Amino acid sequence: DLKSEMNKTRKLPLKKDTRASDSSQEDAIDQWARRRKQFKDSKKCSSTGGSSINSTITEGSINSEDARSVDLGLYSENEDRGFYTENFHSAAWVFRGDDVSPDNSPRCLSKRPRPVAIRERTVKIAKGTGNYPWGFRIQFSKPILVTEVDTNSAAEEAGLQVGDILIAVNGTDVTSVPHSEAANLARKGPDILTMIVGSDISRYPNTPRPTCRGYLHKRTQSAILKGWRKRWFVLKHNGYLHYYKHKKDEGKCRPLEVTKLEGAEIGIDTSLGKPFVFKCIPQAGNRIFYFCATSNQEMKRWLEAMDKAVHPIHQNHVWVDVTLHNTTLPPLAIKNPECLGLLHQLDRSKDVWIQHYCILKDGCLYFYATLRSTPAQGGLYLQGYIVSEQSLGSKRSVIELKPPSEEFKTFYLCAENVNENKRWITALKASINKWLPLHQAIQDFMNRPLEETRM
């Protein structure tokens, strides 16, 4: 059994910080060779239709640079199957919706509250005692916004959130009624306050999650191979640290190793007598990684980014919650789609085109297996992507979705015919145009002429 054999090889009889004997070195080399052969055999097995372990074990984790500490860390391919959100998390984006006129600013920068059609949910709050029996505050009219939710209140317990828009109160639509009328509906109603609320994604610019890229020297602790090796490291927004042999390998080759940083211990290390050295002790396993930067500033940059990954804030942007909710719906249940129909997506690893039924909505392309499938298989966040028509191989008309940076993935889609491609391209461009980088939105807002009132 290949899996049990690999588990046995994890426990190598080499002790920390001691040089192995000649016989133990030979054993380690033999084990290394066996693991290498097992990896190659597994690749042959998967290519001929047998059971595949490629999705969970990388060549780098078996043919490890650190022969003494072999870590069969699992490599996840979920980003290929679920939502590809990396570009969204790499920068701060704001939603401006259909307000593409330069005279209009995104809602997060405007004093005028304007509602956006977003997922609705029902909130039921039990009436308490005191002057504020439900524990929240509302402001403005058309729409009415929740601007404060008391800690440990009935409203917080019911899931009401700051920024929620009031759509209905005790069964009455309040999207077009004065503020005072909605408040009276709540006060005069039963002790269980029932509200339908929605979330306005345009009022919450997303916060980029920590990412970091660059060359570092990694210390090898093997009894066979010692010293420092220059490697290209990538800390992704999901808190996983990848490393490659060269910068050019990112996005083209599997990483040599993937390490989860959440819960890890990191800090400066002075025990090796070398400047700009810091260490990382992952929560899982018993390894210690030693890294060496080229300067104190570079070391601090990595430590700061890694510290955020070690202590992540598990809070989704409203748009992430909305898209995750939409994946649970049948394709035709997503309200007001901008485009829908069949698309083929190129799987570049296998050079095959895979058919999906697709729904485009507010900068997100949802992939379903068929029109009747539920839930969605995944999707693509389109913020920042450039859409164009290209020729690819035997296909003369292909939709290319190109990211703003080479570090992210390029996607190729193809509809049933040229006219369908053009229809999708027009819709994709309009959908992407609903989002602005935060820095551009602020600059556009600052450049607007001063408002004047003539009397």
Side-chain angles (χ1 to χ4, degrees), residues 211-436:
T211 56
C212 204
R213 283 171 166 84
Y215 278 107
L216 290 171
H217 284 82
K218 172 182 169 291
R219 187 188 184 214
T220 58
Q221 303 176 17
S222 165
I224 305 167
L225 302 171
K226 283 198 170 184
W228 296 83
R229 292 196 171 187
K230 188 177 181 181
R231 293 290 180 254
W232 177 256
F233 283 86
V234 178
L235 173 59
K236 296 204 170 188
H237 69 268
N238 58 6
Y240 282 81
L241 183 67
H242 301 232
Y243 78 86
Y244 305 82
K245 195 170 184 179
H246 304 291
K247 179 180 179 180
K248 63 182 180 181
D249 295 338
E250 183 187 350
K252 297 179 180 178
C253 305
R254 288 182 179 273
L256 295 174
E257 196 161 348
V258 180
T259 304
K260 183 180 180 181
L261 293 189
E262 183 176 354
E265 180 184 338
I266 61 169
I268 298 173
D269 184 86
T270 57
S271 63
L272 301 177
K274 189 176 176 70
F276 318 133
V277 172
F278 56 102
K279 64 182 178 181
C280 172
I281 307 175
Q283 198 171 38
N286 56 358
R287 294 187 65 178
I288 302 178
F289 292 93
Y290 292 94
F291 307 108
C292 183
T294 54
S295 66
N296 190 52
Q297 183 178 0
E298 182 73 359
M299 179 181 69
K300 287 183 176 179
R301 181 175 77 94
W302 275 100
L303 285 173
E304 183 178 341
M306 291 173 74
D307 184 66
K308 291 178 180 178
V310 168
H311 306 99
I313 300 174
H314 295 288
Q315 184 175 359
N316 280 340
H317 182 259
V318 177
W319 181 228
V320 177
D321 289 335
V322 169
T323 52
L324 290 177
H325 170 78
N326 286 345
T327 60
T328 65
L329 303 175
L332 300 183
I334 297 179
K335 295 181 180 179
N336 304 317
E338 294 146 12
C339 200
L340 57 115
L342 292 175
L343 282 176
H344 294 79
Q345 180 192 3
L346 176 62
D347 183 342
R348 305 194 74 176
S349 63
K350 300 175 183 176
D351 197 24
V352 296
W353 292 85
I354 302 172
Q355 180 177 282
H356 303 285
Y357 190 84
C358 296
I359 300 288
L360 176 64
K361 171 70 174 173
D362 291 338
C364 184
L365 187 62
Y366 299 86
F367 296 138
Y368 292 85
T370 67
L371 176 61
R372 293 178 174 81
S373 298
T374 303
Q377 294 176 316
L380 170 62
Y381 281 21
L382 297 167
Q383 289 86 351
Y385 272 79
I386 298 171
V387 187
S388 64
E389 187 176 23
Q390 304 287 342
S391 60
L392 188 68
S394 61
K395 293 184 180 292
R396 293 184 178 181
S397 179
V398 171
I399 304 168
E400 181 186 65
L401 295 173
K402 192 171 184 178
S405 173
E406 292 182 356
E407 66 196 57
F408 305 121
K409 293 184 179 180
T410 299
F411 293 87
Y412 293 95
L413 305 169
C414 186
E416 298 299 311
N417 52 58
V418 175
N419 289 334
E420 275 291 283
N421 269 353
K422 294 185 183 301
R423 181 176 73 92
W424 274 101
I425 288 173
T426 301
L428 287 164
K429 287 181 178 178
S431 192
I432 292 171
N433 202 34
K434 291 186 175 185
W435 293 85
L436 275 179

Side-chain angles (χ1 to χ4, degrees), residues 61-205:
S61 63
I62 295 175
N63 185 18
S64 175
E65 294 180 339
D66 188 350
R68 184 184 58 196
S69 179
V70 178
D71 182 10
L72 299 182
L74 299 186
Y75 177 73
S76 173
E77 291 183 333
N78 286 339
E79 65 180 17
D80 293 330
R81 297 174 187 169
F83 275 93
Y84 185 75
T85 65
E86 194 166 5
N87 191 46
F88 176 77
H89 290 305
S90 69
W93 297 90
V94 295
F95 185 78
R96 64 176 176 180
D98 298 315
D99 297 335
V100 295
S101 168
D103 295 331
N104 291 325
S105 61
R107 294 174 179 84
C108 64
L109 302 177
S110 173
K111 293 181 180 179
R112 291 187 301 152
R114 291 164 288 175
V116 166
I118 287 300
R119 169 172 65 97
E120 300 173 3
R121 67 187 194 279
T122 301
V123 176
K124 295 185 177 182
I125 308 174
K127 188 175 183 180
T129 58
N131 296 329
Y132 310 104
W134 291 291
F136 67 96
R137 175 186 293 178
I138 55 175
Q139 288 183 303
F140 311 118
S141 292
K142 302 177 185 180
I144 300 167
L145 295 179
V146 176
T147 56
E148 186 177 346
V149 177
D150 296 342
T151 304
N152 299 325
S153 65
E156 184 183 61
E157 187 176 339
L160 193 67
Q161 297 178 356
V162 172
D164 281 342
I165 298 170
L166 264 62
I167 297 171
V169 174
N170 292 330
T172 302
D173 188 300
V174 295
T175 54
S176 58
V177 305
H179 180 99
S180 57
E181 186 176 331
N184 286 333
L185 282 171
R187 292 193 189 101
K188 295 178 180 179
D191 288 346
I192 301 295
L193 174 62
T194 303
M195 301 187 298
I196 297 176
V197 299
S199 301
D200 186 349
I201 58 173
S202 62
R203 292 195 168 272
Y204 296 92

